Amino acid sequence: MLFYERAADILLRLERRQGSIKTMTIGNQHLRPEEKRKMYALICETLKNASALTTVIRRSGIVEAEGIELRLALVLVHDLLLKNVGLQRQGANQKLNQSIRKHKVKLVAELARVKEELGAQSNDDLVPVELRDSGSTFRYVRVNLLAATVDGVIKYFQDEGYDLVDSQQVKRDMAHQVLKVKSRTFMRDLDLHDVLVFPPGTDLHAHPLYVGGSMILQDKASCMPAHVVRPAAGSTALDACAAPGNKTSHMASLMGNSGKIFAFDMDRRRLDILIKLTNSAKCEIITARCTSFLDLDPLDPQYAGVEYALLDPSCSGSGIVSRLDALVDTYIAAISNQDTSTDTVGAGQESRLKNLADFQTSIILHAMRFPNVKRISYSTCSVHDVENEAVVARVLQSQDEFGLAPAEDVIPTWPRRGLETAGLTKAQAACLVRTLPEDGTNGFFVAGFVRQKAADIDRTRRQLEDMRAATDIGVSDKPNDSSTAAKGKKRRKDAAATDSLRKPGKNTKRAKSSDGAATAPMPLPNKRSHGKKGPRRKAKASVTQ
């Protein structure tokens, strides 16, 4: 399949929700390595400009004139009008390129008309405000301690010509002046020992350390939950809503691949992504199961050893900056003439947030029923207090076995804390963590709970019986789920359990990191170790009914 035809096929698959942008571009095995970044850029930029380009294409009539699909026209017209070098020649259908070029005069005129209607001074102004890249969000790199050390990754980048800034000399509000856009500078994070910070817009998707699994591209805020729950090496932990798996692999990294992690998710496709991602990250202690966390029996003997629970349930996503799935939503709306404005928060939005908060509360309370769980992290990528502080307050009022982890145990150096609202005292709010885009991260919320009273097994049994009775009469365990009880039962019956089991490598050598992090295999792969040479072990997955 030629380049633009494949791009059009990716747009079709995105419309059908058959995968993510990164999976279909960076992770696309049908693309040559040199094509992946080009395809990723083309898809993202086409999606951003889809509204304006769709109008230009429809007014020009080229779809009808050339007998091509709108998706193919979109990627071609994007490069013709918005890319400095124009249409790509290598790997492209030159006859088709020529057919599009003959309409350039009309397309340019229609583009000028659209810009005038939108009051756009430049092509950049054609992108809806909510989809424009934020210059405030840094590029964060989480070092995978199962494959490298922080010091080793730092040296690798220094050998490539990057300058390491002394983070001890950088004030928090001065980081943007130090890590300037397009500069080859980076620094250790001020709060998380296994995270490095690069200037906004730094593209590391093709970097050999990322491709080889030695580092994970993960927003800083998303790295906080694993540090809050802090599972000990050799312990047993669970991730309740685990896919796509970055937080799960982060726990494995902090545990040094010692112990066990149960990872649960109801979505089979997303769970498959988790298995692939965690295998690439060299995780060997994760058991992935396709099931609803709320369907688990906390008193089941197989979960008797669970001491730590990471909870990152479905949320509104209101804190995410330039999220890729928002590009897809806007694109689908553009080609179908729908309105996707999210500025208005009406009764429908309030109802949705309430449903989400109810679900989030139920997830936390269910995790607290596991009798030996002693520490829990709860997080959302939301800025709404109804999903954050209000949920925490409800949980504290609903049980007496868990209290909030003290502020000094919840990212103590981070300055922005929770809101003194929704029934929380000032002291309780100080135990919570909030992040906002102005902090250089996505909007996020994290709370830690610690056991302060032994589990009441009899009460747990009564609660579980009440939950089963509620399920039998049709109470849903999923937010915004209008399915009947019969559908819920069928879903649970059909949900299979997938165990992702990796055995430690025979020649794995352990070395202690000088930065005080968990032990990690060494040495760090050299710059040629991520190429085609050398066999790659395939991870095995078993399915149990």
Side-chain angles (χ1 to χ4, degrees):
M1 189 179 293
L2 296 176
F3 186 78
Y4 288 119
E5 284 81 353
R6 188 173 295 283
D9 181 65
I10 290 174
L11 290 181
L12 174 61
R13 293 178 182 275
L14 289 172
E15 289 174 42
R16 294 174 175 174
R17 309 288 187 179
Q18 294 178 341
S20 69
I21 296 173
K22 288 184 179 179
T23 300
M24 295 188 185
T25 55
I26 303 298
N28 194 328
Q29 297 180 350
H30 299 291
L31 290 171
R32 296 190 299 272
E34 64 271 17
E35 290 181 323
K36 292 185 177 183
R37 291 180 64 183
K38 291 181 180 178
M39 185 64 76
Y40 177 75
L42 173 60
I43 293 299
C44 287
E45 293 305 313
T46 300
L47 294 176
K48 288 180 183 178
N49 291 277
S51 180
L53 291 178
T54 299
T55 301
V56 169
I57 290 169
R58 284 176 172 156
R59 288 177 177 176
S60 70
I62 66 168
V63 168
E64 295 79 11
E66 298 299 330
I68 60 176
E69 290 186 339
L70 175 60
R71 302 174 197 88
L72 183 56
L74 277 168
V75 293
L76 288 163
V77 171
H78 170 272
D79 277 8
L80 180 66
L81 299 184
L82 303 182
K83 192 175 179 181
N84 291 334
V85 296
L87 291 168
Q88 177 171 312
R89 295 182 59 84
Q90 185 176 1
N93 183 332
Q94 296 305 317
K95 184 177 180 180
L96 178 60
N97 283 5
Q98 187 59 39
S99 298
I100 297 300
R101 285 194 188 96
K102 71 182 182 183
H103 296 281
K104 185 173 182 178
V105 173
K106 179 182 286 187
L107 291 167
V108 169
E110 292 296 348
L111 179 63
R113 180 182 165 192
V114 169
K115 289 171 70 174
E116 183 178 357
E117 292 171 353
L118 296 175
Q121 299 298 314
S122 67
N123 290 341
D124 292 338
D125 297 333
L126 294 172
V127 179
V129 175
E130 65 271 16
L131 297 182
R132 296 175 190 172
D133 290 329
S134 170
S136 64
T137 304
F138 294 109
R139 163 58 72 191
Y140 294 97
V141 166
R142 173 169 66 81
V143 176
N144 179 12
L145 302 176
L146 304 178
T149 64
V150 175
D151 289 343
V153 171
I154 287 174
K155 185 178 186 306
Y156 195 104
F157 277 102
Q158 288 178 316
D159 290 344
E160 290 186 327
Y162 283 81
D163 293 325
L164 177 67
V165 176
D166 184 357
S167 56
Q168 294 183 349
Q169 304 299 318
V170 178
K171 293 183 179 180
R172 195 176 295 273
D173 59 356
M174 300 292 288
H176 280 97
Q177 298 181 30
V178 175
L179 301 179
K180 295 181 179 180
V181 176
K182 296 184 179 180
S183 68
R184 291 176 69 84
T185 57
F186 72 115
M187 57 183 271
R188 293 174 182 265
D189 186 71
L190 298 174
D191 307 288
L192 308 179
H193 68 78
D194 55 351
V195 174
L196 302 176
V197 192
F198 290 77
T202 302
D203 186 3
L204 298 171
H205 286 93
H207 195 278
L209 294 186
Y210 170 69
V211 175
S214 294
M215 67 184 193
I216 311 296
L217 304 183
Q218 186 174 354
D219 186 71
K220 172 179 178 173
S222 179
C223 295
M224 290 182 175
H227 281 286
V228 170
V229 72
R230 294 206 310 272
S235 65
T236 300
L238 67 80
D239 190 341
C241 310
N246 276 342
K247 297 179 185 68
T248 320
S249 70
H250 195 183
M251 283 200 294
S253 176
L254 294 177
M255 294 167 70
N257 256 346
S258 175
K260 186 170 186 176
I261 299 173
F262 291 102
F264 306 102
D265 203 277
M266 290 181 63
D267 189 316
R268 166 65 63 184
R269 180 186 61 81
R270 284 169 54 83
L271 195 72
D272 287 342
I273 294 173
L274 177 144
I275 292 172
K276 180 179 179 181
L277 185 152
T278 55
N279 283 342
S280 297
K282 302 173 177 59
C283 302
E284 301 167 350
I285 60 173
I286 296 172
T287 298
R289 292 180 174 170
C290 186
T291 188
S292 166
F293 176 66
L294 293 179
D295 284 345
L296 299 179
D297 182 355
L299 302 182
D300 189 322
Q302 67 178 313
Y303 304 125
V306 175
E307 297 178 284
Y308 303 91
L310 189 151
L311 314 177
D312 189 64
S314 299
C315 72
S316 64
S318 54
I320 300 297
V321 177
S322 296
R323 60 186 303 165
L324 294 181
D325 54 355
L327 295 181
V328 178
D329 293 339
T330 306
Y331 158 70
I332 293 174
I335 63 175
S336 58
N337 293 319
Q338 297 174 0
D339 181 11
T340 60
S341 174
T342 58
D343 294 337
T344 301
V345 180
Q349 175 75 342
E350 290 180 3
S351 176
R352 176 172 179 260
L353 291 177
K354 180 183 182 303
N355 287 337
L356 285 167
D358 290 344
F359 173 69
Q360 293 152 357
T361 302
S362 69
I363 288 288
I364 301 174
L365 292 175
H366 196 58
M368 291 177 172
R369 295 186 182 104
F370 287 73
N372 290 313
V373 164
K374 59 184 180 182
R375 191 173 183 89
I376 296 171
S377 70
Y378 166 68
S379 59
T380 74
C381 51
S382 171
V383 296
H384 299 304
D385 61 351
V386 68
E387 299 179 86
N388 299 331
E389 288 87 355
V391 167
V392 169
R394 287 173 63 185
V395 168
L396 293 176
Q397 294 164 7
S398 299
Q399 52 77 48
D400 61 357
E401 294 182 2
F402 283 81
L404 286 175
E408 57 267 25
D409 286 344
V410 184
I411 322 295
T413 55
W414 182 255
R416 190 183 299 280
R417 313 307 286 190
L419 303 178
E420 188 181 346
T421 183
L424 296 178
T425 66
K426 182 177 181 179
Q428 288 174 323
C431 297
L432 311 175
V433 167
R434 267 183 174 266
T435 70
L436 294 175
E438 62 197 67
D439 300 321
T441 72
N442 286 314
F444 212 79
F445 174 85
V446 189
F449 297 94
V450 291
R451 183 175 290 281
Q452 56 189 16
K453 184 178 178 182
D456 186 334
I457 303 299
D458 290 336
R459 182 171 60 181
T460 297
R461 284 199 179 96
R462 291 194 299 270
Q463 291 173 342
L464 294 174
E465 289 172 359
D466 291 342
M467 289 174 61
R468 294 186 187 104
T471 301
D472 288 340
I473 62 173
V475 177
S476 172
D477 63 359
K478 202 178 176 188
N480 295 318
D481 189 349
S482 60
S483 63
T484 63
K487 288 182 180 178
K489 290 179 182 178
K490 182 178 187 301
R491 183 186 67 236
R492 288 187 290 276
K493 182 178 179 181
D494 291 342
T498 302
D499 291 346
S500 174
L501 307 173
R502 284 175 57 95
K503 296 181 179 179
K506 294 180 180 179
N507 300 319
T508 300
K509 185 177 180 180
R510 314 295 295 185
K512 182 140 184 180
S513 169
S514 61
D515 61 6
T519 57
M522 286 294 285
L524 186 71
N526 61 39
K527 297 183 182 181
R528 293 183 296 176
S529 65
H530 302 294
K532 295 181 179 179
K533 293 183 179 181
R536 297 189 67 179
R537 180 180 57 192
K538 281 192 175 182
K540 296 181 180 180
S542 62
V543 179
T544 59
Q545 299 297 332

